[in-house]
Amino acid sequence: MEKDIFERLVVGEPIPSNDPQRHRLRDASYQTIGLLQEMNNSSDPEEIRILLGKITGGEISDTTAVFPPLYINYGKHTSIGKNVFINFNCTMLGLGGITIEDGVLLAPNVSLLSEAHPLEPSQRQTLVPKPIHIRKNAWIGANATILPGVTVGENSVVAAGAVVSKDVPNNVVVGGVPAKVIKNSLTIKGN
């Protein structure tokens, strides 16, 4: 018996366009879109958290705030911690897995893209999942894009407009396209 397509995605298995279960990805995305439409039309923080919990399949802490609209193609591989703030117009392609730890800030128009496709045209329809991990207290600036397989280190800052294609160490600021460290040894005061 063939393993479930969603289990294969979460372990990083590429999914070719002719996979017999591939239609399930689109079906799941349309189910998610239905919940997103309801969530994106709400201004009630509790209702937003409940609907986001249905999308992700996990409880969303009452210390976490989301300003809709939010766009997610599949949320069951997405985990969102406590004291997280997600601002307007964030996009999460989550088939490859997205982990957002406690205290993370996502500015407007952030894109977390845990899926890609091969460069070879004959293979381009293959879906290649790679998880994204945003560690505690990271701040992702407006219009930043985090690409598949990237981990953003604890307390680090991704500058507005950056495109992050490689892991970000803890306690640094990165910026640019592609993102590079622009400030080392970020001084952390207080907590």
Side-chain angles (χ1 to χ4, degrees), residues 15-37:
I15 306 295
S17 61
N18 63 353
D19 187 285
Q21 296 182 38
R22 181 101 176 219
H23 69 280
R24 293 182 60 211
L25 302 180
R26 190 166 293 168
D27 293 346
S29 290
Y30 283 121
Q31 287 177 348
T32 300
I33 289 168
L35 289 168
L36 279 174
Q37 286 178 338

Side-chain angles (χ1 to χ4, degrees), residues 40-179:
N40 287 338
N41 286 313
S42 179
S43 60
D44 177 357
E46 184 176 350
E47 181 181 28
I48 291 167
R49 282 191 304 274
I50 289 168
L51 288 165
L52 185 55
K54 288 181 182 179
I55 290 166
T56 63
E59 187 174 334
I60 304 299
S61 170
D62 63 0
T63 63
T64 288
V66 177
F67 285 1
L70 174 67
Y71 304 100
I72 302 174
N73 65 340
Y74 181 74
K76 301 294 190 220
H77 296 164
T78 299
S79 170
I80 300 171
K82 296 177 181 173
N83 296 310
V84 170
F85 179 67
I86 301 172
N87 215 322
F88 302 105
N89 287 317
C90 286
T91 298
M92 299 180 190
L93 297 185
L95 286 167
I98 297 172
T99 301
I100 300 170
E101 291 187 3
D102 296 346
V104 168
L105 302 173
L106 300 181
N109 301 310
V110 165
S111 294
L112 304 178
L113 312 175
S114 73
E115 311 156 18
H117 302 276
L119 292 177
E120 174 62 39
S122 67
Q123 299 298 312
R124 195 154 301 146
Q125 296 298 319
T126 297
L127 183 64
V128 180
K130 292 182 183 176
I132 290 174
H133 195 136
I134 313 296
R135 296 205 184 271
K136 284 175 43 176
N137 301 316
W139 173 20
I140 313 299
N143 296 302
T145 300
I146 310 298
L147 295 177
V150 168
T151 295
V152 175
E154 192 169 316
N155 302 315
S156 287
V157 176
V158 174
V163 176
V164 185
S165 59
K166 295 185 176 163
D167 288 352
V168 174
N170 294 340
N171 302 309
V172 300
V173 178
V174 299
V177 179

